[in-house]
Amino acid sequence: MNTSTLELEEKPKQGMKRLTGSQALLECLLAEGVETLFGYPGGAIMPVYDELYKYADRLNHILVRHEQGAAHAAQGFARVNGQTGVCMATSGPGATNLITGIADAQIDSTPMVAITGQVFSHLLGTDAFQETDVIGISMPVTKWNFQVTKAEEIPQAIAKAFYIANTGRPGPVLIDITKDAQITEFDFPVYEKCTKIRSYHPFPILEKSKVTAAAELINQAKKPLMLVGHGVLISQAQSELLAFAEKAEIPMASTLLGLSAVPNKHPLYVGMLGMHGNYGPNLKTNEADVIIAVGMRFDDRVTGDLSRYAKQAKIVHIEIDPAEVDKNVKADVAIVSDAKAALIQLEKEIASNTHKKWLQEFAECDAKEFEKVGKLDLHSEKEEIKMAEVIKMISDQTKGKAIVVTDVGQHQMIASRYYAFDDTRCNVTSGGLGTMGFSLPAAMGAKVARPEKQVIAVIGDGGFQMTIQELGTIFQSNIGVKVLILNNQFLGMVRQWQEMFFDKRYAHTEMVNPDFQMISKGYGIPCNKVTDRDELAVAVDVFLEHEGPYLLEVCVEQEGNVFPMVQTGASVSEVKLEN
């Protein structure tokens, strides 16, 4: 009898139980509070799936149709409830198919643990079947990654993974586990969650002197403007943000990922920033005397030409990740801190104030934008339905309470502009990476995380076909997602740029689409198609009221453009209301 067999037959030490690496992995996930994971099996991860079969009463595994779908579903799950999403795949192409979702999670600060199988450790580096260096590939797009080659390493690796993924600035972690580590037995200790890692300081100590300096600037401001980023939602600082803004009567503008941190109907909310954001917050950025940026990173879509961005303003930057401070915009006062902690202290030190005249300027901008853009978007005299009409109707019907999961393109910007969020953590989209195909699987994850909420996937005909196969997951797992396809038969955002900057040379942006109704029916999902404005209201009612999943395709204006717009290389104050 060889040594390895003798070791496997040893009795467990006192206080421990004898488990395989696969069993240990699942026990670790349960100890971390995981109830749902999204994945796709394969050879190198098969021992884990064999054990998962026995854990069906405790772990809900949702079988996706493509590993990218697993990653995006885990993102959607995490974004609406703040918990760490979990996805799983096999080695080689299974692991590489996760990379787009992992990269998306990294740039959008989404907590996620990706678990991949790997070939036997003695085969590493031999180009074995389905061997890929996923550690090397994923290193630039993960917060941390680690390859497990011994079963004994699994508990500590998983504990560290969950701690790193959802502390400080959240992000994705990848754990790669060789097949021999999955099948080897070892003495499984009492699982201990990770609470500290040497040299990793996820929660910076708030410097009171910085808070005082920021308060002094804010108290002196005549035209303050607050930029609300995703960090407000991550730190669950929504109520603290409102208390701060209301005390000093400071207008609040949102980044794309900051949407739903502030109710759209709040009197201090002045709209969305960015390339296709609202006219007022873009224009007034270059008139504000103090800008308070909370939990945002001054992305290029927000700033436009950096050499002309807010040069007249004092910048107060509240950000938990020190790497983002002074990276794009130099801060006069940088508060490296969790947003909630910083806002609590700031609210204590700022003075009560009013800025009626300044707020009125935003109201005048809103009126101008509605006259130039809103009227055309919402009250079109054309026969073709406009995207904005559909989104506004759904917003009104759901009273701004639904979770809206957008893909990437014109429909994304229209949904962000015309869906009036009245509940928090209800905007899920791909911001930094701009990943087409994100919406459908991310909406699945969001619905699984919050089944009591209406979840609406808003997708263009282009992005829909990138992950269309996830209709199979929706059907098999009966996930009650409402799928809205705004079909303009173009890759709309690229076509808009071709119209504006490439003399209408529509190079490879026109779509010849399949019959989405037939496909939906093939997956057993009820559906409807609207081509006439008179049919829209009834169709939307049925769409929203139907129990379970439903697909609504609306044929919209083919060559419509999204305005306002800040062109690439322009200053935010050069925001255009028309072509």
Side-chain angles (χ1 to χ4, degrees), residues 230-243:
H230 190 199
V232 172
L233 291 158
I234 292 169
S235 66
Q236 299 182 51
Q238 296 93 315
S239 59
E240 289 78 10
L241 179 83
L242 292 182

Side-chain angles (χ1 to χ4, degrees), residues 5-21:
T5 307
L6 282 171
E7 289 174 350
L8 290 175
E9 291 183 352
E10 285 180 0
K11 292 182 179 179
K13 296 174 185 177
Q14 191 170 6
M16 298 183 178
K17 49 187 175 181
R18 199 82 177 159
L19 298 179
T20 65

Side-chain angles (χ1 to χ4, degrees), residues 524-536:
I525 297 172
C527 56
N528 190 16
K529 181 177 181 177
V530 174
T531 58
D532 192 303
R533 183 176 282 108
D534 292 339
E535 304 167 349
L536 184 61

Side-chain angles (χ1 to χ4, degrees), residues 354-556:
T354 58
H355 297 98
K356 302 295 183 191
K357 186 178 177 182
W358 176 230
L359 284 164
Q360 181 57 35
E361 292 183 34
F362 284 94
E364 291 166 3
C365 288
D366 284 345
K368 184 174 182 179
E369 180 179 332
F370 181 75
E371 192 64 32
K372 292 279 189 178
V373 180
K375 273 188 178 180
L376 296 176
D377 279 350
L378 297 172
H379 306 290
S380 176
E381 294 180 0
K382 294 183 178 180
E383 286 187 14
E384 293 178 300
I385 301 168
K386 305 264 292 188
M387 290 186 187
E389 296 176 68
V390 186
I391 297 300
K392 178 68 163 59
M393 189 176 290
I394 289 173
S395 179
D396 291 343
Q397 293 276 32
T398 59
K399 297 180 169 54
K401 302 289 187 184
I403 292 173
V404 177
V405 187
T406 49
D407 214 80
V408 171
Q410 287 184 316
H411 65 277
Q412 177 190 34
M413 295 296 102
I414 291 291
S416 300
R417 285 173 43 75
Y418 288 104
Y419 192 87
F421 292 98
D422 194 48
D423 202 356
T424 194
R425 268 202 165 132
C426 285
N427 169 57
V428 181
T429 196
S430 172
L433 200 63
T435 305
M436 290 179 68
F438 172 86
S439 176
L440 189 62
M444 297 185 323
K447 183 63 177 178
V448 170
R450 296 182 69 182
E452 79 287 355
K453 294 286 288 185
Q454 180 84 280
V455 176
I456 303 168
V458 180
I459 317 177
D461 48 307
F464 182 55
Q465 293 176 80
M466 288 196 169
T467 51
I468 193 172
Q469 68 278 356
E470 297 308 333
L471 289 176
T473 306
I474 290 171
F475 173 55
Q476 179 172 344
S477 297
N478 193 28
I479 303 170
V481 171
K482 301 296 189 294
V483 180
L484 174 66
I485 304 171
L486 296 176
N487 185 356
N488 60 7
Q489 299 178 63
F490 271 104
L491 298 176
M493 189 60 83
V494 183
R495 186 215 57 77
Q496 177 171 336
W497 281 54
Q498 289 173 334
E499 176 187 330
M500 295 176 68
F501 310 120
F502 295 89
D503 299 323
K504 291 191 175 183
R505 291 188 296 276
Y506 294 161
H508 308 292
T509 49
E510 189 168 0
M511 303 287 287
V512 178
N513 292 317
D515 187 335
F516 294 133
Q517 301 297 298
M518 188 177 293
I519 291 170
S520 185
K521 289 172 184 175
Y523 280 111
I525 297 172
C527 56
N528 190 16
K529 181 177 181 177
V530 174
T531 58
D532 192 303
R533 183 176 282 108
D534 292 339
E535 304 167 349
L536 184 61
V538 172
V540 166
D541 284 343
V542 174
F543 172 68
L544 294 173
E545 291 173 9
H546 179 81
E547 282 292 323
Y550 192 97
L551 184 146
L552 177 62
E553 176 187 0
V554 182
C555 296
V556 296

Side-chain angles (χ1 to χ4, degrees), residues 132-145:
T132 300
D133 180 12
V134 71
I135 295 297
I137 290 170
S138 65
M139 190 172 290
V141 293
T142 51
K143 195 174 175 185
W144 181 63
N145 64 14

